[in-house]
Amino acid sequence: MSNSFKPATLCVQGGWQPKKGEPRVLPIYQSTTFKYETSEQMAKLFDLEESGYFYTRLQNPTNDAVASKIAALEGGVAAMLTSSGQAANFFACFNICEAGDHIVSATGIYGGTYNLLSVTLKKLGIECTFIDQDASEEEISKAFRPNTKLLFGEMISNPGVMVLDIEKFAHIAHKHGVPLIVDNTFATPINCRPFEWGADIVTHSTTKYMDGHATAVGGCIVDSGNFDWEAHADKYPGLCQPDESYHGLTYTKTFGKMAYITKATSQLMRDLGSIQSPQNAFLLNLGLETLHLRMPQHCKNALAVAKWLQNCDKVAWVNYPDLEGNKYYELTKKYLPNGSCGVLSFGLKGGRDVSIKFMDSLKLAAIVTHVADARTCVLHPASHTHRQLTDEQLKEAGIAPDLIRFSVGIESADDIIADIEQALNQ
Ligand SMILES: *Cc1c(COP(=O)(O)O)cnc(C)c1O
């Protein structure tokens, strides 16, 4: 199927392309193994001489169909599904970093990813320098070292909903001869396609809007195919030098633009696992079929809620990038002209105790740790994810004690606002 179709068409019909007599709907290939007729056929697969399915840890037809839909939506050349967003970000970095290497990343990223980069990768000998994503090009450039292998940021950060100046980031990365990896979870390719602005690799927690129904944890890595690994061959020996575990094959020479994803599959999936189950990939595909309908509704509702909150005298502040006057309003107009996402945050006059009373009084919006699905949900980081911190420590972590994270769903905006209003009156 042609990748030149519009996103709506790719959401519905991308990926699975049945041939004569095959199921119209993507089947769940619930099989660990695949059958061959001769021993030689199988041997060629193990040597990466031919492509084909042999064991679901490496590849599965259901997963591949969904990965190719996401690759088409992002405008990339190849993609792989992972068991979670965390696995996607780990693999995306670890595929081109090893002990002794260095990463530069934006600071205001998802807590799990921050921990991965600052604590867990450090144990593997990979160091990370965190930078303020709003700093100047000169300031951010100071963080780079000769052993820096990538620059990382989130298109719209979770939970701060900061918008990345992606062109600036791409320019900095390329000036230092490294790829830009962008986590596009909150924007989704419906609202922004980072490759069009210079990103080289995109990651997703498909757990959020892509699945959209809070049914399946999953992740995805997409490669634009644009980064020239060979031009920086000394930096990326894993891609540009022979792999002894495959009889001396060199990924860039054998696979060209598919080198990065092929290596991630044939080395990282082989050795570390973390596949998405075909059952979850099937659920993810159902979610993707309506992504183009859900995202505009999330954005429309979130803007209506944000505007209502802004005019409410019990509300101290509102943070939503699409609101005029927001720090990221101009970047939002540039990179996310159709809207950012459904997540916003706000604070109530009266602080922490008032916030808790408010949340407990909500009826429609459920208190859950999840964000970004069809149902409106709410979280108070100071009482939940960051509850061990004092107000002082919260401030240092950039989280106001009264901050309420509100993930606006696709219900009627009138009902969501009415729920907020009745809770504020309690
Ligand atoms: C949730 C999230 C992750 C982690 O994804 P999981 O699927 O929960 O492992 C990574 N990045 C962002 C931006 C997220 O919102």
Side-chain angles (χ1 to χ4, degrees):
M1 182 168 170
S2 165
N3 284 2
S4 65
F5 281 113
K6 299 264 190 297
T9 308
L10 294 171
C11 278
V12 180
Q13 294 223 19
W16 176 244
Q17 301 302 316
K19 296 177 204 79
K20 179 166 170 263
E22 287 184 340
R24 180 66 194 94
V25 172
L26 172 65
I28 305 171
Y29 281 86
Q30 196 68 51
S31 181
T32 59
T33 37
F34 300 84
K35 177 179 175 282
Y36 287 90
E37 264 132 28
T38 68
S39 160
E40 200 197 337
Q41 287 172 341
M42 185 78 109
K44 285 192 166 146
L45 298 179
F46 273 97
D47 284 349
L48 301 184
E49 271 181 38
E50 279 177 15
S51 74
Y53 298 102
F54 56 107
Y55 192 55
T56 285
R57 169 149 46 76
L58 285 116
Q59 277 187 302
N60 174 283
T62 307
N63 291 21
D64 279 2
V66 182
S68 78
K69 176 181 281 192
I70 297 173
L73 279 167
E74 287 287 8
V77 294
M80 74 192 287
L81 298 189
T82 57
S83 55
S84 67
Q86 284 301 111
N89 281 326
F90 173 48
F91 280 19
C93 296
F94 200 54
N95 202 32
I96 46 174
C97 289
E98 57 190 47
D101 287 345
H102 176 250
I103 290 171
V104 178
S105 170
T107 306
I109 54 174
Y110 176 67
T113 312
Y114 186 89
N115 212 60
L116 167 71
L117 298 178
S118 65
V119 179
T120 301
L121 284 187
K122 200 177 191 173
K123 291 179 187 165
L124 297 175
I126 300 164
E127 261 194 86
C128 182
T129 303
F130 291 94
I131 44 93
D132 173 3
Q133 67 185 52
D134 300 328
S136 68
E137 214 169 300
E138 294 69 39
E139 201 56 41
I140 295 172
S141 291
K142 285 185 198 152
F144 281 77
R145 304 176 189 169
N147 61 341
T148 302
K149 298 298 165 79
L150 66 97
L151 177 61
F152 185 90
E154 286 177 4
M155 191 56 226
I156 304 174
S157 71
N158 175 6
V161 286
M162 297 185 288
V163 175
L164 191 71
D165 188 346
I166 186 166
E167 273 191 319
K168 176 181 81 179
F169 259 52
H171 186 250
I172 298 169
H174 298 155
K175 198 173 70 184
H176 292 91
V178 305
L180 170 61
I181 303 185
V182 171
D183 183 330
N184 197 30
T185 297
F186 269 19
T188 82
I190 299 302
N191 285 348
C192 180
R193 308 209 307 168
F195 295 154
E196 291 171 359
W197 301 102
D200 301 287
I201 289 148
V202 155
T203 59
H204 284 280
S205 166
T206 61
T207 317
K208 314 292 167 52
Y209 289 119
M210 282 193 168
D211 167 44
H213 301 77
T215 58
V217 172
C220 185
I221 308 172
V222 191
D223 183 12
S224 66
N226 290 339
F227 193 79
D228 188 353
W229 308 105
E230 288 279 358
H232 309 279
D234 51 326
K235 258 193 206 159
Y236 303 103
L239 282 160
C240 305
Q241 283 176 21
D243 178 356
E244 294 317 321
S245 68
Y246 285 111
H247 308 305
L249 159 161
T250 301
Y251 290 97
T252 45
K253 292 206 167 65
T254 309
F255 300 105
K257 281 188 181 297
M258 308 295 280
Y260 176 88
I261 292 291
T262 305
K263 177 179 179 289
T265 302
S266 54
Q267 284 183 351
L268 300 184
M269 273 302 177
R270 180 194 63 186
D271 297 351
L272 301 170
S274 305
I275 56 142
Q276 188 165 128
S277 81
Q279 175 81 40
N280 279 5
F282 174 83
L283 291 170
L284 169 57
N285 189 54
L286 281 186
L288 287 167
E289 289 185 4
T290 58
L291 184 66
H292 61 297
L293 300 176
R294 290 183 287 108
M295 287 313 290
Q297 181 74 5
H298 279 291
C299 294
K300 195 170 126 237
N301 282 357
L303 187 60
V305 169
K307 284 187 170 158
W308 188 88
L309 289 168
Q310 209 176 25
N311 291 322
C312 174
D313 58 7
K314 295 188 171 104
V315 175
W317 55 271
V318 186
N319 180 25
Y320 185 59
D322 305 59
L323 275 184
E324 229 169 304
N326 184 279
K327 185 175 176 191
Y328 298 99
Y329 184 68
E330 292 303 321
L331 289 177
T332 304
K333 272 204 301 194
K334 176 175 174 183
Y335 296 123
L336 304 148
N338 299 321
S340 60
C341 65
V343 181
L344 53 88
S345 58
F346 61 97
L348 295 179
K349 290 177 185 162
R352 190 196 277 246
D353 296 341
V354 173
S355 299
I356 291 169
K357 176 87 175 94
F358 164 74
M359 285 185 49
D360 290 349
S361 306
L362 287 166
K363 294 191 171 118
L364 196 61
I367 300 174
V368 298
T369 47
H370 193 55
V371 282
D373 79 72
R375 281 159 288 259
T376 295
C377 57
V378 65
L379 180 86
H380 183 224
S383 313
H384 304 138
T385 47
H386 298 69
R387 69 172 288 118
Q388 71 286 0
L389 305 189
T390 63
D391 282 9
E392 241 355 90
Q393 288 172 317
L394 281 171
K395 261 183 215 134
E396 275 166 32
I399 294 164
D402 62 343
L403 185 147
I404 294 167
R405 185 180 73 184
F406 206 80
S407 172
V408 182
I410 56 174
E411 306 93 338
S412 152
D414 292 346
D415 289 335
I416 299 167
I417 291 169
D419 188 35
I420 296 173
E421 191 169 17
Q422 66 78 24
L424 284 172
N425 289 334
Q426 297 296 311

